[in-house]
Amino acid sequence: MKSLSERDQKHLWHPLTQHQTAAPPLAIVKARGALLFDKEGKAYIDGIASWYTAIYGHCNPHVTDAIARQMQELDFVMFSGFTHEPAIELSERLMQVLPENQAKIFFNDNGSTAVEAAIKMALQYYHNKGERRDTLIAFEDGFHGDTFGAMSASGLSSYNGPFEDFLLKVERIPIPQPDTMDEVLEQLERILNHNPCATFVFEPLVQGAAGMKFHDAQGLDLLIQKCHEHDVLCIADEIMTGFGKTGKNFAVDYLTHKPDIICLSKALTAGMFPLSITSCSQKVFDAFLSDEVTKGFFHAHTFSAHPLGCAAAIAGLDLLQSDEIVERRIAIGKHHQDFVTQVKNHKKVKEARTIGVILAIDLAVETNRYGKLRDELYRFFMDRGVNLRPLGNTVYVLPPYVITEAQLQKIYATILEALDHF
């Protein structure tokens, strides 16, 4: 009988994979808590919560039970012309934790489409007002997804390369740091004065795909303030940072000036279901109200507000606000801080940093995002039962909140072993 990996190779095309050179994918047959299991029964600690989604642990019974109950009551109904209790309750619950300026919830099905909808909202916002604004502002090295609007806002050529001639107009600025803030503000001012800018799209505080690059909250606050002074809408991409990753429920909770639009996905449904949300202020929503039908937001996804995804998201919010998860988030943050202190002066470490449950270590070596060293590090970690996916020379940890202290310490020990090995 052929193995799962052998059967996989006959028909499947995997993301972020050069199939000519890539090793066969590892077949995972079971997951519980912070662990993944292969067909041989070997366990792997999921040190990145499967791309930051399974933050309450894999197969969390509170979430799976909620989905099971919902599928017996209402499996699915299209969201155009209909509504249902899970979507309504989720919107009410989200408004309790999102910034006070957020008023409306638009449903999508993944992170890229959440950003895509946000960009279209911003462009049409001005179109409905009789203004033509065609320019986006975004950070250098940002990543916002793989659909065309999201790609346009992104700044990583490893993803965008073949498509760069087809993207929307974007002006880029560096991320704000205390020692560069004046220069970044001056650059933003020039862009605002010389371009018909519609929106500023940003990952708040942490640029995930860029290698968990951190930037200054006070600086970001000033950039948002400056954009608002020029009547430019601001879009916060909280797809990676949302739901407690930075120490607060959302990274924008560190800011005084709030974005007009917020994008949520990944941990929204605890990794159980593909669903995303684009929330916006009342001001944005009101610009689409008109006796002219075409001024409505004619953007739709077949599975918008899927009842099963909404049920999973409601259950996830229960867990996010529970005493147990809050305590675990704090504990993980303290362990990360201790490890940064331990490792920051290692001769192989260029920089170590942490915020909330996010830990990132830049190695003192240059390598391509998908270069040989990255692949060797990945195999080194997996051979030792730890699932970490380095971003170039950056090793990062973003574990499920339910990870045990012993599992977390094994991740740290494996990273130390790697530093001494390579």
Side-chain angles (χ1 to χ4, degrees):
M1 181 181 292
K2 290 184 177 180
S3 69
L4 291 176
S5 292
E6 290 170 333
R7 289 166 58 196
D8 171 283
Q9 292 178 72
K10 185 171 183 179
H11 298 299
L12 295 182
W13 190 343
H14 287 264
L16 304 179
T17 300
Q18 174 47 264
H19 281 269
Q20 182 71 23
T21 58
L26 176 67
I28 296 298
V29 299
K30 180 180 176 181
R32 290 291 185 278
L35 296 176
L36 307 171
F37 298 89
D38 67 18
K39 63 183 186 304
E40 306 300 330
K42 181 178 178 179
Y44 304 84
I45 302 171
D46 191 356
I48 59 171
S50 287
W51 273 343
Y52 343 127
T53 61
I55 56 172
Y56 311 111
H58 292 277
C59 298
N60 187 297
H62 184 69
V63 185
T64 57
D65 288 351
I67 295 173
R69 288 193 301 271
Q70 183 58 51
M71 70 173 58
Q72 299 300 322
E73 189 69 24
L74 172 64
D75 55 350
F76 175 69
V77 63
M78 66 183 190
F79 207 55
S80 181
F82 293 96
T83 191
H84 50 75
E85 173 67 25
I88 295 168
E89 181 181 350
L90 178 56
S91 70
E92 293 168 344
R93 292 284 301 275
L94 282 170
M95 288 305 163
Q96 294 173 15
V97 294
L98 284 169
E100 291 183 356
N101 73 326
Q102 298 299 288
K104 296 293 181 178
I105 297 291
F106 188 89
F107 284 98
N108 314 279
D109 54 12
N110 64 63
S112 296
T113 56
V115 175
E116 199 80 8
I119 291 172
K120 288 178 68 175
M121 282 179 186
L123 294 172
Q124 189 177 343
Y125 172 87
Y126 295 102
H127 175 83
N128 284 358
K129 295 170 65 176
E131 299 181 42
R132 176 176 172 79
R133 299 200 187 191
D134 64 359
T135 304
L136 314 182
I137 305 167
F139 283 140
E140 297 170 354
D141 297 328
F143 179 76
H144 300 282
D146 295 319
T147 54
F148 267 82
M151 269 199 304
S152 298
S154 303
L156 294 173
S157 60
S158 54
Y159 300 107
N160 292 2
F163 314 105
E164 287 180 348
D165 290 341
F166 308 98
L167 302 179
L168 300 173
K169 181 183 176 183
V170 180
E171 294 288 337
R172 302 200 184 279
I173 57 176
I175 56 174
Q177 301 292 9
D179 59 340
T180 62
M181 198 58 244
D182 290 343
E183 292 86 348
V184 175
L185 269 174
E186 289 175 7
Q187 186 173 340
L188 176 62
E189 183 74 49
R190 288 195 297 272
I191 291 170
L192 291 167
N193 286 334
H194 293 91
N195 298 274
C197 296
T199 185
F200 170 36
V201 188
F202 57 91
E203 297 164 273
L205 304 192
V206 184
Q207 290 182 295
M212 298 298 168
K213 292 170 63 176
F214 296 176
H215 55 268
D216 181 60
Q218 183 178 3
L220 179 57
D221 221 27
L222 292 172
L223 297 180
I224 295 171
Q225 181 182 14
K226 179 64 67 175
C227 286
H228 283 164
E229 288 172 359
H230 286 258
D231 189 30
V232 169
L233 297 178
C234 293
I235 300 172
D237 178 351
E238 288 259 13
I239 290 159
M240 189 276 287
T241 52
F243 302 99
K245 312 270 187 38
T246 62
K248 294 181 182 289
N249 286 338
F250 301 98
V252 295
D253 290 340
Y254 288 92
L255 306 176
T256 300
H257 295 88
K258 304 302 183 183
D260 305 279
I261 300 172
I262 299 176
C263 303
L264 305 172
S265 189
K266 290 191 181 291
L268 170 67
T269 62
M272 296 280 189
F273 204 91
L275 186 75
S276 68
I277 278 171
T278 306
S279 72
C280 70
S281 66
Q282 190 68 42
K283 179 183 82 168
V284 172
F285 179 78
D286 286 348
F288 292 78
L289 300 178
S290 173
D291 291 332
E292 299 178 45
V293 173
T294 54
K295 286 192 174 182
F297 191 47
F298 276 66
H299 177 98
H301 299 277
T302 299
F303 295 108
S304 292
H306 200 297
L308 305 187
C310 291
I314 292 165
L317 286 172
D318 292 340
L319 295 170
L320 178 70
Q321 297 171 300
S322 68
D323 291 342
E324 178 185 359
I325 292 299
V326 171
E327 290 171 3
R328 287 302 305 147
R329 285 160 50 190
I330 293 171
I332 293 168
K334 289 180 178 177
H335 288 308
H336 280 355
Q337 290 169 2
D338 291 343
F339 188 63
V340 165
T341 300
Q342 178 183 357
V343 79
K344 66 181 180 180
N345 294 321
H346 193 287
K347 63 181 180 180
K348 297 284 186 66
V349 173
K350 180 179 180 181
E351 182 186 7
R353 57 194 176 276
T354 185
I355 181 173
V357 301
I358 303 171
L359 166 70
I361 300 169
D362 296 337
L363 305 183
V365 60
E366 296 299 322
T367 183
N368 295 329
R369 173 170 293 269
Y370 295 106
K372 180 180 177 182
L373 175 61
R374 181 265 173 204
D375 291 343
E376 290 176 348
L377 280 166
Y378 174 71
R379 287 192 295 270
F380 183 91
F381 293 134
M382 290 295 288
D383 287 345
R384 287 153 181 79
V386 175
N387 176 35
L388 298 177
R389 288 177 60 90
L391 293 161
N393 67 341
T394 301
V395 176
Y396 74 94
V397 182
L398 203 169
Y401 300 151
V402 299
I403 194 169
T404 67
E405 183 171 346
Q407 291 166 342
L408 198 54
Q409 293 301 327
K410 180 176 179 180
I411 292 176
Y412 298 152
T414 306
I415 293 173
L416 286 173
E417 186 181 355
L419 291 175
D420 292 334
H421 178 83
F422 287 93

